[in-house]
Amino acid sequence: MIAALARRTEATAYVFLIVTMVLWAGNHILGRWVTGTIPPMTLAFFRWGGAALIILPFAWTALRADWPVIRTNLAHMLLLSVLGSGLYNTIQYVALTETTATNAGIFNSWTPVLVAAFGALLYGDRLSGRQWAGMATSFFGVMTIILHGDLSRLATLTFNRGDLIMAFAIGMWALYTALLRNRPAISTLGFSAFTFSAAGVINLPLALYEYQQGLTVIWSWQTVAAIFYVAVLAGVVGYVLYTRCVEIIGPTRTGVFAHLIPLFVAAMAMAMLGEQPQVFHAIGFGLILTGVYLASRSPAVAVSDT
């Protein structure tokens, strides 16, 4: 694996990206699967606290070297930590207690459109008519999924709360991605170690709150395996592979692979959770991808870390 990471070839990047998207799709499945056995905010704490403990020994030298830059940009680093690792996955896990993994997976494909919107709002990026049309098309796709293909829900305002929470989480991740444009110039290891550690600290009081409310982990080998998966595989391994792929083929081509997540999630959800994709899933996903295609005619780039 170490030798493969050193190879700067497109084929290596494509293999790594497929592996990464499978790992992140599995994160959606586990978030749904452990409902009732691991509270969502506790799972987020285990994910990032565990990831921090794993990466810190390897990143300590880089973190010390980067510290002067981190300290100068501490407010921005903390904002990125809160929006990204800190709360995005927490809200995602909360959403998965009330919606299907399939729905949550499809929402990931909305990210590129939202990043373009935040780029226009925060940085004054100019959007063409084609891009505005793409945003509108993707929005209709998201609403198709939230409404479960039933327009009558608009009249009664009857929505699945988990779908709305997941849509909000994707919005938070898109804002985080847009703000990465001004990420301090530090090493990937230093950035990862800081944000993972900050995310663990942020989620600790949330996990303690759940514990005080009587929401505790039901320990078994399955829960231990789930924690290992989200911390080591979906967390550290997925992040390192994804970052390496950005270095090899650039963020634009790398970001496109995020659209594999809904497909992998749907397949895993059918096999492992018994979820059955519906017609509205296909319509909504198609509208989102159409909107992304239209909106992608700009320099704005989106990535998804799930």
Side-chain angles (χ1 to χ4, degrees):
M1 174 64 77
I2 300 299
L5 281 171
R7 297 193 194 108
R8 199 175 181 87
T9 67
E10 291 190 358
T12 299
Y14 295 148
V15 171
F16 282 169
L17 279 170
I18 293 172
V19 171
T20 300
M21 297 310 140
V22 171
L23 292 176
W24 285 349
N27 185 55
H28 286 75
I29 300 301
L30 278 178
R32 182 65 176 170
W33 181 59
V34 300
T35 297
T37 58
I38 307 179
M41 291 183 280
T42 302
L43 180 60
F45 167 70
F46 281 137
R47 176 177 184 175
W48 296 117
L53 290 176
I54 293 167
I55 202 172
L56 276 172
F58 302 97
W60 187 250
T61 300
L63 189 60
R64 289 184 61 184
D66 291 332
W67 184 249
V69 179
I70 294 174
R71 184 172 55 195
T72 302
N73 298 274
L74 188 59
H76 191 61
M77 287 291 293
L78 289 174
L79 178 61
L80 290 175
S81 299
V82 170
L83 291 175
S85 305
L87 291 181
Y88 164 70
N89 281 127
T90 308
I91 298 173
Q92 174 194 23
Y93 292 145
V94 171
L96 284 165
T97 65
E98 301 189 46
T99 190
T100 65
T102 301
N103 283 18
I106 291 175
F107 283 138
N108 278 274
S109 284
W110 196 28
T111 305
V113 172
L114 291 179
V115 173
F118 280 123
L121 180 65
L122 298 175
Y123 301 107
D125 294 346
R126 298 187 64 179
L127 301 178
S128 66
R130 178 192 293 267
Q131 289 172 291
W132 284 111
M135 291 182 186
T137 303
S138 284
F139 175 76
F140 285 126
V142 171
M143 290 304 299
T144 298
I145 297 168
I146 290 177
L147 295 170
H148 292 196
D150 184 3
L151 290 177
S152 66
R153 293 190 177 208
L154 283 174
T156 60
L157 295 179
T158 302
F159 306 118
N160 180 291
R161 191 172 71 164
D163 289 340
L164 297 178
I165 294 173
M166 190 63 203
F168 175 76
I170 294 299
M172 176 176 288
W173 179 255
L175 176 59
Y176 163 79
T177 304
L179 291 174
L180 281 177
R181 184 182 303 191
N182 294 330
R183 196 194 95 172
I186 61 176
S187 66
T188 299
L189 273 178
F191 182 78
S192 301
F194 182 90
T195 54
F196 289 3
S197 300
V201 171
I202 291 166
N203 281 288
L204 177 57
L206 300 178
L208 292 175
Y209 170 78
E210 285 183 326
Y211 180 79
Q212 292 176 343
Q213 297 301 307
L215 301 174
T216 58
V217 178
I218 300 175
W219 290 104
S220 66
W221 71 265
Q222 290 98 330
T223 54
V224 172
I227 292 170
F228 174 86
Y229 184 98
V230 299
V232 178
L233 300 180
V236 176
V237 174
Y239 188 93
V240 169
L241 293 183
Y242 191 87
T243 303
R244 179 57 177 155
C245 292
V246 172
E247 294 174 354
I248 296 174
I249 64 173
T252 301
R253 282 192 288 171
T254 299
V256 170
F257 278 76
H259 300 305
L260 291 177
I261 292 178
L263 303 180
F264 290 143
V265 168
M268 293 179 184
M270 289 179 63
M272 302 172 65
L273 302 176
E275 295 182 7
Q276 296 297 321
Q278 305 296 320
V279 173
F280 70 82
H281 287 125
I283 295 173
F285 187 44
L287 287 171
I288 290 171
L289 288 186
T290 301
V292 168
Y293 171 76
L294 294 173
S296 65
R297 316 289 289 194
S298 79
V301 175
V303 295
S304 180
D305 181 12
T306 56

